[in-house]
Every structure is written in C-alpha cells, then in structure tokens.
Amino acid sequence: MISLLIVDDEKIIRRGLQSVIERQFPNRFSYRFAENGQEALELLRQEPADIMFTDIRMPIMDGIELLEQLQTHPVKPEVVLLSGYNDFVYAQRAIRCAVKDYLIKPVKRKELFAVLDRLLLDIRMREEQADTAGQEAGLSAAELVTLHLTQEDMGDAITPNNAGLSWLDAGYTLGLLTRRGGGSQVGRTDAVSFRNQIEELLHGYTDWMLTRDGKGGTIVIAPDPVLFYQLAERWRLRVPQSQLRIAISDSVQGIERIRWAYSQAKQTLKYGILLPELDVMEHAGIISERQERHVVPVEFIRRILNLIGTGRGEEMRQLLAQILDVRVISSCEIGYLEHISQLLNEELFDKLFRIYGYKVLDLLRSYAHVGHIGNFDRFEDYYISVEQLLDLLDQFIHDRREKAPTEPNTMQKVIAYLQTHYADDLNMAVVSNHFSLNYSYFSQAFQEYSGESFSNYVRRLRLDKAKQLLVYSDLKVYEISEQVGFENVKHFTRLFKDTEGITALEFRNRRRQMVEPSMHGT
C-alpha cells in the first residue's frame, strides 16, 4: 500500500479527505494523521510517507515551516499543499520547497483525484524504472513501446527500423489485460507475477509482444486478434479460479498508431462491468450502436437526498431503480454510468458527509468501494452495494431524527437568537442550554437546518456585521472587531483577509468608493 499522511488541525477535514479518497481508491492507501507540522515531523521520523497532504495554517508549526524542515530529511514525501485561500506569496514559498501541487479548500473531488492520479503515476513509473535499473544499457523493443506510450514527444528515439518493430507496419491489434476479481489496482509484485503468467501461457506462439503501459497495466500486441481468444482459453484451463479479461483495439498499422490503439483498448475495458461474461471484448463490437448522449437523472439523485432519513425507503429504491436502469445504461456509452457514479458521490454521499460529519463516516468508509464503478466486476454488484448503503444511511439518519428536537420552529428561534446575540460569548453549549436542547442533537439539528456548522454560521454572521460597520460607521477596526464578538483584533484581521482576500481597511475604502457617489447623488 502507498502511505498517505494528512496534516490538518481540523479533524473533520482529515477524516473527510480520507473518506472521499477511500471511495475512489479503496485499499490503495494506508493513512496516518497529524494535527500540526511538529506532529507530522515526528511521524515522518518514525516512518517515511509516500505522499503528504498538509494545510498551511496550523498552530504550533504551520505547513510552510513543516516543508522547510523537511528539506533536510533523507526521504521526503510527495507534498500537496492545502489552503483555505489562494495566497500567491505562500504558493511561491511552497514551490521553493518542491511542492507537487496546491489545492484550495473546500477541495473539489475532480481536482483531488487528478492530483492523486498524477502522483500515483509518478510513483508507478519510478518503481518500474527501478525494476529495470540493473539491466544492461539499451532498451528492448517492448520497453521502447512502453516509452512511446508514456512520453509525449519521442522525437527520433523510437522508429520501427531501429527498434526491431518494423512488423508493426503490416498491422496489429493491441490488447489490454486484467484479471477479474483482482481489480485494476494491483501492487507491483502482483503485476510482475501476472505478466509472468501471461508470458508462460503465450509460450509456443509466434508473432506477439508482451509489455507494460507505464501505468501498471499489461499489454499484448499481436498481428492476429485470434491469439487473444486462444490466450483466454488457455487461462480458463490453467487458472480456473479467476477470469482473464482482455480488451482489444481495432487493427491498426505503424508505431505512430499505438497510442490510438491503447486508448481504444482502455476505453473498451471499462465495459467489463456491463459484460461480465465476456473474456475478450473487441472495441468495434462494444462501442458500435451505443448512444453517445443520454440525460443523466440528476434530479432523481437530489430527490433521494431529500428522502433519505424520512422512512420512505420504498420510494427511494424506486428512484434508484430509475437512476440505475440497466436497460438504459446498457444502451449508452460507459461515460453515462461514470457520470451517474460521480453524481451519486457529489450530490448524495459527499453532501451527507458535510451535513452529518463523523456520524456517517463509518458507514461511508465501510462502503468505500461504492465510490467508483471500476471497483466492481459486475453491474449487479455495484447496484446492490449502492442500494445497501442507501438503506443503511436512511435507517441511521431516520433513527437520529427520531431522537432530535421535534418542535418545528425551534431552529428558527435559534437563528433569531443568534442574529440578536452574535456579539456575546457564544458557543454550542451556551445556546443549546438556553433552549434546553441536548448538545449533540442540537449540533446535528442546527447543521441540517442551516446547511453549515454552528461555528461557521456564527463566524460568517459576525463577519457580515463587521462588513456593514466598516462601510457605514467610522469605528476603528479593533472597535468593530470587539463590537461584533471577536476575542482579539489579530484573529479578526487574519480571518477577514483569509475570507475576503483583502484587509478590513482595503474593504472599507473600496466599498465606500462604490457607496458614496450613489448616496450623494440622491
């Protein structure tokens, strides 16, 4: 497993990142956590990490100081910087510390996964280079094909004549191979063992090449596509406990078409979830007659979010049956199912986590594999897992709501109270006691009603009041800070700049320039 260290002073962010990553990359990472840079350094001294995500703003030791301290470490992780605001000065300092990437909070799933994909590819390529480091100088034809697939501009490094690949000019088919049940995310040792098995099964055949795609995948190139069917048959006889799955491209000619052939095979392999009975999947036969476009039922997904926890499980399951209608999905390109899977994550599971936090984390983690269709060999298994997770979430949230405050206008009264008492020394204990509500259920009910946590709501409310005073009063910044309820002006000024991107005085000057002309003109 690849070791991942997440450094952030907010537990909900640490665990939230883990939950999102596990759903996309189940069983790929081992996780460790630190609340600040000093704690992270101690963990790294005990055991190095492959990848580290770290926040910038943390107590005791911030992210930049952590990076500077890491420069003297013999084994440094790949670092991704997290920040609640886009500060170019911090980004410049981070670049000097060889940061791999920079993500802005709240972190978007697409950006997070893109960063992890790049890092995983870098790690795989280093491992594969290490495998061949001890071999004699000069690349074999198979290694040159791998290089051609992974390098954007090969120049004159590979040509059919100088690499012993002139036979490709006569035409060939590229097959991308994987094992059903083993998943696509296998370790380096497993990948090497798999390639050795394939090479053994191909012994005695002529005109074929076994190589790698540079991303952990196994490729076979052959002039005659019949070889792939014969290979699948040999696998069935020799390794009956698992299924060999081969996705093959159309027939192409020349080394310059190899990336095109690889992209066809890679796309075809995705259809395995819909065609589990096939050992060999041909691109032309799989892709033809499929609809390119179909309206994704995003409104159905949002309706499930509204229904979950209300005890209307049957209605929820009917909506899921329409969302994951196998007749529609089987007639569409695989991107349709991929889009549905993405929306189930973003519009349903991620939003439930933002509302309920740790309370649903264990459920989401236990069904982490639901996060990506690539984790399933059969569509039916994916459907059942999604349905089971929804049922469990529905029951869990329903049980919590049964215990939560039932008076319909309770939260309205809480909001009105905060609007009046925002400058007081407020915390959840004070407010929940004021309304004679259980502390934990108050926290849950407030977030459900307002869409954000109690502390975030109060912070935003105070900042809004401060912005009004900055524009429409002559109070000094420290006076405004005190008047809206901040403990000290330093905390207020830092928070204001983090949120607005400019200082409080800059905000006052800009807004007054906009307001005063209209005031004088009336």
Side-chain angles (χ1 to χ4, degrees):
M1 277 192 175
I2 294 171
S3 60
L4 173 59
L5 174 61
I6 301 176
V7 189
D8 197 292
D9 58 332
E10 294 189 49
K11 184 177 179 182
I12 194 167
I13 291 177
R14 298 194 302 269
R15 294 298 182 179
L17 280 172
Q18 179 189 9
S19 176
V20 171
I21 293 170
E22 279 187 334
R23 295 209 303 280
Q24 182 74 4
F25 303 96
N27 305 316
R28 177 66 75 90
F29 297 98
S30 61
Y31 298 87
R32 289 185 293 168
F33 306 95
E35 294 185 9
N36 54 66
Q38 184 173 303
E39 188 176 325
L41 280 176
E42 182 58 36
L43 289 174
L44 290 171
R45 288 190 189 103
Q46 296 170 13
E47 183 181 345
D50 296 309
I51 300 171
M52 180 176 76
F53 282 23
T54 181
D55 192 16
I56 289 179
R57 295 276 187 174
M58 294 180 293
I60 303 176
M61 181 187 291
D62 65 21
I64 300 299
E65 186 179 352
L66 167 61
L67 296 180
E68 291 170 347
Q69 294 272 355
L70 272 178
Q71 299 313 299
T72 60
H73 274 231
V75 182
K76 293 185 282 290
E78 305 283 14
V79 178
V80 178
L81 205 61
L82 306 173
S83 176
Y85 56 97
N86 197 353
D87 192 315
F88 183 68
V89 174
Y90 276 102
Q92 283 183 313
R93 292 179 65 189
I95 289 169
R96 289 199 296 270
C97 295
V99 166
K100 276 286 186 178
D101 227 311
Y102 191 92
L103 292 172
I104 304 300
K105 295 179 182 177
V107 176
K108 296 179 181 178
R109 292 172 55 88
K110 186 176 181 180
E111 295 174 358
L112 172 64
F113 297 155
V115 167
L116 284 171
D117 281 334
R118 287 195 295 272
L119 292 175
L120 290 171
L121 177 57
D122 289 345
I123 290 170
R124 278 196 297 265
M125 290 184 71
R126 283 201 302 272
E127 288 177 341
E128 292 196 347
Q129 288 168 4
D131 286 342
T132 60
Q135 296 179 4
E136 295 181 0
L139 296 174
S140 68
E143 289 166 335
L144 285 169
V145 168
T146 301
L147 195 61
H148 193 85
L149 285 170
T150 56
Q151 301 298 317
E152 288 297 324
D153 184 10
M154 285 297 299
D156 297 328
I158 178 170
T159 63
N161 291 331
N162 69 21
L165 295 170
S166 57
W167 60 276
L168 295 179
D169 291 336
Y172 62 93
T173 301
L174 183 146
L176 185 57
L177 284 60
T178 187
R179 286 163 293 181
R180 179 180 172 187
S184 59
Q185 300 174 356
V186 294
R188 179 174 53 165
T189 303
D190 290 337
V192 172
S193 174
F194 178 55
R195 283 193 286 272
N196 289 339
Q197 283 181 290
I198 296 299
E199 188 170 18
E200 183 181 345
L201 291 173
L202 288 171
H203 183 70
Y205 287 101
T206 57
D207 298 330
W208 57 269
M209 174 188 289
L210 174 65
T211 186
R212 306 172 295 192
D213 64 359
K215 301 178 182 179
T218 296
I219 290 173
V220 171
I221 298 172
D224 187 351
V226 172
L227 177 139
F228 296 105
Y229 290 92
Q230 294 171 338
L231 174 60
E233 179 62 26
R234 284 194 172 190
W235 181 278
R236 280 194 296 269
L237 294 174
R238 297 274 291 275
V239 195
Q241 68 273 19
S242 67
Q243 178 188 9
L244 178 65
R245 191 170 274 173
I246 309 173
I248 63 176
S249 71
D250 298 337
S251 181
V252 297
Q253 291 179 317
I255 187 66
E256 66 276 3
R257 297 287 287 170
I258 200 163
R259 285 187 186 175
W260 174 254
Y262 173 71
S263 67
Q264 285 188 336
K266 188 175 180 182
Q267 184 69 6
T268 304
L269 190 62
K270 295 178 180 179
Y271 288 87
I273 189 173
L274 300 175
L275 302 163
E277 72 283 356
L278 294 184
D279 297 322
V280 181
M281 298 181 293
E282 297 189 34
H283 175 264
I286 298 296
I287 302 299
S288 64
E289 299 182 1
R290 289 185 181 272
Q291 299 178 32
E292 291 187 8
R293 298 188 179 187
H294 198 281
V295 179
V296 176
V298 62
E299 287 304 318
F300 288 176
I301 295 173
R302 290 171 180 164
R303 282 168 61 185
I304 287 181
L305 179 64
N306 295 331
L307 286 173
I308 203 162
T310 63
R312 295 158 69 181
E314 185 55 38
E315 187 175 346
M316 195 170 63
R317 283 187 286 275
Q318 288 175 5
L319 284 170
L320 182 64
Q322 294 178 72
I323 294 166
L324 294 177
D325 187 335
V326 68
R327 295 166 299 180
V328 175
I329 288 171
S330 296
S331 68
C332 294
E333 289 187 346
I334 197 66
Y336 177 69
L337 178 57
E338 290 178 321
H339 194 185
I340 289 176
S341 175
Q342 178 187 350
L343 288 173
L344 284 171
N345 281 307
E346 294 176 354
E347 297 292 332
L348 188 56
F349 302 131
D350 286 356
K351 286 187 176 180
L352 286 172
F353 175 75
R354 285 198 293 272
I355 294 171
Y356 295 95
Y358 308 122
K359 301 170 185 66
V360 296
L361 184 58
D362 286 342
L363 279 177
L364 292 174
R365 288 179 62 185
S366 64
Y367 278 80
H369 57 293
V370 168
H372 196 282
I373 61 169
N375 300 320
F376 295 86
D377 293 317
R378 303 173 62 90
F379 175 77
E380 292 84 352
D381 296 335
Y382 174 68
Y383 188 109
I384 291 169
S385 293
V386 173
E387 187 176 51
Q388 287 175 343
L389 177 55
L390 287 177
D391 285 343
L392 290 170
L393 288 167
D394 180 52
Q395 187 61 52
F396 177 84
I397 294 169
H398 180 267
D399 291 345
R400 291 196 61 81
R401 286 179 174 173
E402 288 290 304
K403 301 172 185 175
T406 55
E407 188 179 349
N409 62 348
T410 298
M411 287 301 117
Q412 295 176 18
K413 293 179 179 178
V414 170
I415 296 297
Y417 178 87
L418 295 178
Q419 291 282 347
T420 305
H421 296 84
Y422 61 87
D424 295 350
D425 183 15
L426 291 177
N427 57 54
M428 279 206 300
V430 169
V431 179
S432 60
N433 287 336
H434 179 83
F435 287 91
S436 301
L437 298 173
N438 177 277
Y439 179 93
S440 60
Y441 293 135
F442 169 78
S443 171
Q444 177 62 42
F446 185 90
Q447 183 147 344
E448 285 185 55
Y449 182 83
S450 67
E452 59 185 320
S453 68
F454 178 89
S455 59
N456 283 346
Y457 182 91
V458 172
R459 187 185 305 119
R460 182 174 57 79
L461 177 60
R462 286 171 170 168
L463 285 173
D464 287 344
K465 299 294 183 182
K467 286 189 281 188
Q468 292 176 21
L469 291 173
L470 283 166
V471 177
Y472 297 105
S473 82
D474 292 320
L475 293 172
K476 298 184 183 301
V477 171
Y478 76 87
E479 293 173 326
I480 293 174
S481 168
E482 183 177 274
Q483 191 161 322
V484 298
F486 286 94
E487 292 180 2
N488 62 74
V489 69
K490 286 185 178 181
H491 175 63
F492 168 71
T493 54
R494 187 184 71 206
L495 182 63
F496 193 98
K497 185 175 182 182
D498 289 356
T499 305
E500 299 297 323
I502 57 176
T503 66
L505 287 176
E506 288 172 332
F507 179 91
R508 166 177 274 174
N509 293 334
R510 291 184 187 183
R511 287 302 177 91
R512 282 188 172 180
Q513 289 172 3
M514 297 168 60
V515 171
E516 286 174 359
S518 61
M519 292 175 64
H520 293 307
T522 54

